[in-house]
Amino acid sequence: MRIALAQMELSAEPQENLGAAKDVIVRAADAGADLVVFPEATMKAFNTGRLDTVAEPLDGPFATAVRAAAADAGVTVVLGMFRPADVVERDGKELQRVHNTLLATGPDVDAHYDKIRLFDAFGFRESDTVAPGSELVVIDVPVGGGEVRRTVRVGLATCFDIRFPEQFVELAQRGAEVIVLPASWNDGPGKVRQWETLVSARAMDSTCFIAAVDAARPGGPAKAGKPEGPVGVGHSILASPDGEVVAQAGFAPQLLIADIDLDEVPRLRKTIPVLEIRK
């Protein structure tokens, strides 16, 4: 299976991000990718204004355009967007919350996942503006062509979900061989190290490949390490089921394309049967 990790620097403008994403989808398809994974909040970068003003339903123009791009390219795409959720009261004000959604689309794929674990940490309260999801999602992604065509079970998770091992174990128990993790990881001292550690740990917990795609760090290495919002620190990682790094990006925007051997999943699950022992 060939996976493209699309580490983009995100802007405040959905149409700008959409145009960049469509270009990446074509490039990834031309490189033979089966699956293209974008960051969380690809629709609109965090810390760039209200999310409810850009949120759209799953049949809105943004998601429709992504679906068309994936269909035209013949690849499966997982991309972060926002869609309307509910109204809550916070500090005497009514707030229109959104769902932090992963759209999964492509040949024979039409699904979405709403982020379950919200980022109420490090002084932020995602739950003020985002409504939590409640359902885990595993999709079947077509891989290859002709007589060797098969489907791969791919679990969906988002950013702060990574701090909850049980979610990744449950996805594996539901058949996931690969788990994608779009993110907008906030920067600060030690945050890259935490990101790298958590990605490897969740790969070992679930004995799955993890395709963890973060947004690029705005300002690049010169800004890195300074405490700042959930904007992204780059360092997207493709990790193997034993936690080893297959491929990794740096701080800057990058389209990282790598192949994985899916036979490694049953082999490592036989060697390190943590899922079986957990039963």
Side-chain angles (χ1 to χ4, degrees):
M1 182 181 193
R2 181 164 292 179
I3 301 178
L5 285 68
Q7 181 170 290
M8 294 170 50
E9 183 171 339
L10 305 175
S11 81
E13 300 300 326
Q15 287 305 307
E16 181 179 335
N17 294 325
L18 176 61
K22 289 165 69 175
D23 288 343
V24 169
I25 290 169
V26 172
R27 289 170 55 200
D30 287 345
D34 301 295
L35 172 65
V36 190
V37 187
F38 288 88
E40 175 190 25
T42 295
M43 184 186 223
K44 177 181 173 65
F46 287 116
N47 288 355
T48 62
R50 289 173 54 174
L51 302 176
D52 62 312
T53 60
V54 301
E56 295 180 4
L58 292 168
D59 60 356
F62 185 90
T64 298
V66 175
R67 283 195 191 92
D72 289 345
V75 297
T76 300
V77 171
V78 177
L79 177 148
M81 60 173 288
F82 302 106
R83 61 193 190 91
D86 59 14
V87 177
V88 296
E89 185 174 314
R90 295 287 189 271
D91 300 323
K93 297 180 180 179
E94 282 194 347
L95 300 177
Q96 176 70 56
R97 295 200 298 182
V98 301
H99 283 300
N100 186 343
T101 298
L102 297 182
L103 173 67
T105 182
D108 302 319
V109 177
D110 185 14
H112 72 279
Y113 164 72
D114 294 326
K115 183 179 181 182
I116 294 175
R117 315 288 186 176
L118 301 183
F119 185 57
D120 289 359
F122 293 95
F124 296 91
R125 283 195 58 82
E126 188 178 13
S127 61
D128 285 348
T129 55
V130 176
S134 58
E135 298 294 329
L136 296 180
V137 176
V138 181
I139 60 175
D140 292 317
V141 173
V143 172
E147 295 181 359
V148 297
R149 187 175 177 86
R150 60 165 291 189
T151 59
V152 178
R153 297 283 282 165
V154 176
L156 307 183
T158 305
C159 202
F160 198 56
D161 287 337
I162 199 172
R163 291 187 179 271
F164 299 88
E166 61 274 19
Q167 184 165 335
F168 289 74
V169 171
E170 178 64 22
L171 289 170
Q173 290 174 335
R174 294 187 183 196
E177 303 161 86
V178 176
I179 298 173
V180 299
L181 182 85
S184 290
W185 196 256
N186 70 313
D187 201 358
K191 292 302 302 247
V192 171
R193 178 187 58 78
Q194 292 175 26
W195 165 256
E196 293 171 336
T197 300
L198 288 165
V199 171
S200 289
R202 296 300 82 83
M204 290 187 285
D205 291 337
S206 61
T207 49
C208 287
F209 284 96
I210 305 287
V213 182
D214 193 22
R217 178 59 165 99
K223 292 280 189 178
K226 298 179 181 179
E228 189 173 347
V231 294
V233 291
H235 291 81
S236 297
I237 301 171
L238 180 59
S240 68
D242 60 357
E244 293 297 316
V245 174
V246 177
Q248 182 169 5
F251 289 104
Q254 183 176 349
L255 178 60
L256 188 65
I257 298 176
D259 293 323
I260 60 173
D261 181 359
L262 292 164
D263 289 339
E264 287 291 284
V265 176
R267 184 186 71 79
L268 283 164
R269 287 181 178 177
K270 183 177 180 180
T271 304
I272 316 170
V274 290
L275 296 176
E276 184 64 30
I277 292 171
R278 185 173 271 105
K279 296 177 182 178

